[in-house]
Amino acid sequence: MAPKKIILDTDPGIDDILGLLLALSSKAEDLELLLISLTFGNVEVKHCLRNVISMFHILEQEMQWRRQNGKPEGFGTLRASRPVVALGAEQPLEEQKMLADYFHGTDGLGGIHTSHPHLTPTQAWEHLFDSAQDPEGIKPVQTGAAPGDHFYIPSKLPAYKEILRALRENEPYTVTLVAVGPLTNLALAAAEDPETFLRVKEVVVMGGAVNEPGNVTPVGEFNAYADAVAAARVYALTSPSPPSTLPPTRGPDPPYPAKLSRPLTLRQFPLDITLRHNISRGEFRQAVAPLLKAGSPLAEWVDAFMGHVFQTLERLHPGHEGDDAELSLHDPVCVWYAITADDPKWAPSASSPEDIRIETTGQWTRGQCVVDRRNRHRIEDDKESSSDHGLWLSQSAGNRILRMDASPVEGNFGRVIIQKLFG
């Protein structure tokens, strides 16, 4: 069986890095990571790029350390093929930009580039992503030009164009797009070429909160809030009639065509499910302590930013103290789904597909996942009426979202992460 192909659209970020490491630690026969497309979100996109390059730098050191100590190298996906890395959106489509550096630190990894400079490569790699030097995109790069560069292919094209390139170059419906940050890159790709975008097998989204409170406002989850217009536009592609749920704001041009070849398959992983997948400080500390003593570069790197995040959790959340402090593994859950999607224990809600829409204009409700909780009969009419403003009851309108509600690793996902990353 051929490996699953994925694109990972991300804003690293602490749990994003854990998700990337989880993907790269897979077996080559299980997963091929085609593209890492970067967006603003947790921190500015330039910091996201620095964190990804640092990750490759550390993995180079880690595999060398494992070889020297007679250990299996691991990271089969990384050793088998090089993903393209592309810089993406620096800001949302329309709203004021919001970052989550209050949680992740100004550099996205808890200040690691200052506190642990020996773990950070020099920035000699920056020219590899400078579009002014090569507006056509990718040129071959001699390995050794920058630390870790033989593990990735730098692109000088915008991330949304690389998403479209990857979908064009692979057979239709064979690539899963895992989006664990704001959906700006996806919205730009879909606006430029919706039919190419719809060649994707499915889009897996970490975002939103349906029956749980939000994490940045009482109803808003960060990724949906950070670019609500982009989220609303991507969700609209799941509708039999995308104009029925498009936001009133203009968004990128051109608009979607009146008719599309197929609806988008979108699996949403809201806070409702991701909050049930955690790793505790005690669990992490116990696993990583012997590796730190043995000199593992990866253990030292991950321990540094995990130490920051557990301290932040203690400060922000009552009850998250000592070894009981728990980090929710929001983004890695989506990556694990992409790797193990064939497991029948993954399941959407009983009411899926659901008409879930993203609020874009409310004063207090930006990024809210709006669902119709009224007990009313569905209707055939596709014209708006005074009794159904917004076509919520129409059979031919509204979004069709697969809201994921059950997983095979709930309750032990922390142990899965530790085993995959450190063996």
Side-chain angles (χ1 to χ4, degrees), residues 127-375:
H127 71 283
L128 302 176
F129 299 88
D130 185 356
S131 60
Q133 296 185 30
D134 178 19
E136 297 302 317
I138 298 174
K139 281 185 176 178
V141 175
Q142 295 296 322
T143 59
D149 68 0
H150 58 285
F151 285 140
Y152 65 90
I153 302 170
S155 173
K156 298 180 181 182
L157 285 178
Y160 77 92
K161 290 185 178 292
E162 285 294 355
I163 290 172
L164 292 172
R165 186 211 294 262
L167 293 174
R168 287 190 193 102
E169 292 180 352
N170 287 274
E171 290 295 316
Y173 323 133
T174 61
V175 177
T176 296
L177 205 171
V178 182
V180 295
L183 298 184
T184 316
N185 288 334
L186 278 68
L188 291 170
E192 174 154 305
D193 190 344
E195 287 299 338
T196 294
F197 188 78
L198 291 174
R199 289 168 63 96
V200 72
K201 179 180 180 180
E202 61 183 8
V203 172
V204 178
V205 171
M206 192 282 120
V210 178
N211 298 312
E212 286 282 336
N215 58 8
V216 291
T217 72
V219 294
E221 177 276 329
F222 176 80
N223 287 340
Y225 183 94
D227 197 340
V229 171
R233 290 181 62 88
V234 173
Y235 279 43
L237 287 170
T238 69
S239 174
S241 174
S244 69
T245 63
L246 279 174
T249 45
R250 189 169 69 94
D253 289 325
Y256 297 144
K259 295 291 184 182
L260 293 169
S261 60
R262 65 188 285 262
L264 176 69
T265 299
L266 189 150
R267 293 185 186 271
Q268 181 195 27
F269 283 74
L271 294 180
D272 307 57
I273 185 171
T274 62
L275 286 171
R276 307 200 302 261
H277 295 76
N278 305 296
I279 185 170
S280 72
R281 175 190 262 150
E283 186 178 23
F284 176 78
R285 180 180 54 78
Q286 185 177 10
V288 82
L291 294 168
L292 289 171
K293 186 176 180 180
S296 161
L298 180 62
E300 183 183 2
W301 192 62
V302 175
D303 181 66
F305 62 71
M306 290 292 279
H308 163 84
V309 79
F310 285 126
Q311 290 174 5
T312 302
L313 287 165
E314 283 187 323
R315 187 179 74 249
L316 294 177
H317 300 290
H320 282 266
E321 299 169 351
D323 279 355
D324 293 332
E326 285 192 329
L327 173 67
S328 293
L329 299 166
H330 305 288
D331 299 341
V333 175
C334 297
V335 174
W336 190 243
Y337 165 78
I339 298 169
T340 64
D342 298 333
D343 191 322
K345 292 181 181 178
W346 291 109
S349 65
S351 53
S352 287
E354 299 177 68
D355 185 1
I356 300 174
R357 309 187 194 184
I358 305 296
E359 175 58 54
T360 61
T361 60
Q363 181 180 2
W364 309 116
T365 55
R366 168 178 154 187
Q368 180 180 11
C369 289
V370 182
V371 297
D372 189 355
R373 303 185 192 277
R374 301 171 296 176
N375 184 19

